[in-house]
Amino acid sequence: MSTGKLRVSWGKNGNRSLKDPYIALTNLGAGAGATMGYLVANGGTVDVKYLGMDRLSNPNLQWEKTEALNFGLDFGFLNDRITGSAEYYIMKTHDMIMGQRLPGFTGFGSITTNLGEVQNRGFELSLNTLNIQNRDFEWRSTLSFSIYKNEIKHLYYEYEDVLNEAGEVIGRKEMDDTSNGWLSGNPLVLSGIMRWMVFGRLMRQQKLLR
């Protein structure tokens, strides 16, 4: 080994990028057609639609937070004719901005809040070689390899009993969100074909448990 450098880094940052910057506030909209007559200065009336809430406020909504830990090694062999780097990283995003389900009697399907945790882990390896070098010709090669895993660690922190074939409780697990295709312990599936593949797998697992 002609050169070598070990690197370790840690960091934490917040993400305030929101599609709707007013998502923490209550939203008022016109009702479903109902009106009420209001008196005006000339003694007449004007029909005005009711205003209704179509979104609950959450004054405690915070930024998402991502914590990252990285280990790296830069190396060189044979007077740096062979050089490269290896990286291993762990990134945890918590307090994710998500829609938490609400009971039907509240009149709202969900409220935007800080929930859930997603973990990203990965390994990257890059290798550079100087194969031939002379006055008229030079040949270099670059190789790279990477592997990545994305996993949902927590969703809504709501738990349910795990039953065996006899209907006995044998443990507890965090509830999945099948409507969005989010399964605790699985990759974060957003939409499309993969969402339906995961949902189908969940349904098959449920049938096997029964």
Side-chain angles (χ1 to χ4, degrees):
M1 176 180 281
S2 52
T3 59
K5 181 172 67 174
L6 181 64
R7 295 177 283 105
V8 179
S9 63
W10 175 89
K12 186 175 183 179
N13 67 331
N15 175 22
R16 63 176 183 177
S17 299
L18 296 175
K19 183 178 180 181
D20 182 358
Y22 304 104
I23 200 168
L25 304 178
T26 299
N27 192 55
L28 296 177
T35 61
M36 175 178 287
Y38 285 87
L39 292 174
V40 293
N42 61 9
T45 60
V46 175
D47 286 339
V48 179
K49 283 189 176 182
Y50 290 117
L51 289 179
M53 294 171 51
D54 60 11
R55 181 175 67 207
L56 286 177
S57 65
N58 185 357
N60 298 318
L61 191 66
Q62 305 176 16
W63 292 1
E64 293 181 352
K65 302 174 185 67
T66 299
E67 183 177 342
L69 178 63
N70 180 277
F71 299 93
L73 174 64
D74 300 325
F75 55 84
F77 295 94
L78 303 177
N79 293 323
D80 288 350
R81 292 183 66 92
I82 301 176
T83 60
S85 65
E87 306 270 351
Y88 177 75
Y89 61 89
I90 303 175
M91 298 177 61
K92 292 183 179 180
T93 300
H94 56 92
D95 290 337
M96 296 181 64
I97 298 175
M98 303 173 65
Q100 183 181 15
R101 295 186 299 262
L102 294 176
F105 63 78
T106 64
F108 297 90
S110 64
I111 182 174
T112 303
T113 187
N114 295 105
L115 284 175
E117 179 181 320
V118 173
Q119 178 177 276
N120 299 298
R121 291 183 295 167
F123 175 76
E124 299 177 354
L125 175 66
S126 63
L127 192 64
N128 306 298
T129 62
L130 177 58
N131 305 310
I132 300 175
Q133 185 181 41
N134 55 43
R135 187 176 61 183
D136 302 318
F137 181 75
E138 182 176 290
W139 175 25
R140 295 178 180 268
S141 300
T142 300
L143 301 174
S144 62
F145 169 80
S146 64
I147 185 171
Y148 170 83
K149 183 179 181 181
N150 172 277
E151 182 181 357
I152 298 175
K153 305 298 289 186
H154 296 286
L155 284 171
Y156 308 109
Y157 298 93
E158 298 175 356
Y159 294 84
E160 62 182 354
D161 293 333
V162 178
L163 307 178
N164 60 14
E165 294 181 356
E168 301 170 337
V169 177
I170 59 175
R172 288 178 64 81
K173 73 178 187 70
E174 191 163 359
M175 296 177 63
D176 298 318
D177 185 350
T178 56
S179 61
N180 287 314
W182 296 338
L183 310 180
S184 183
N186 285 266
L188 182 61
V189 182
L190 298 179
S191 60
I193 297 176
M194 287 302 296
R195 169 183 168 184
W196 291 107
M197 290 175 63
V198 173
F199 181 75
R201 183 177 65 180
L202 172 69
M203 301 310 295
R204 289 196 297 272
Q205 290 174 348
Q206 289 178 340
K207 290 180 180 178
L208 291 174
L209 289 174
R210 291 174 184 174

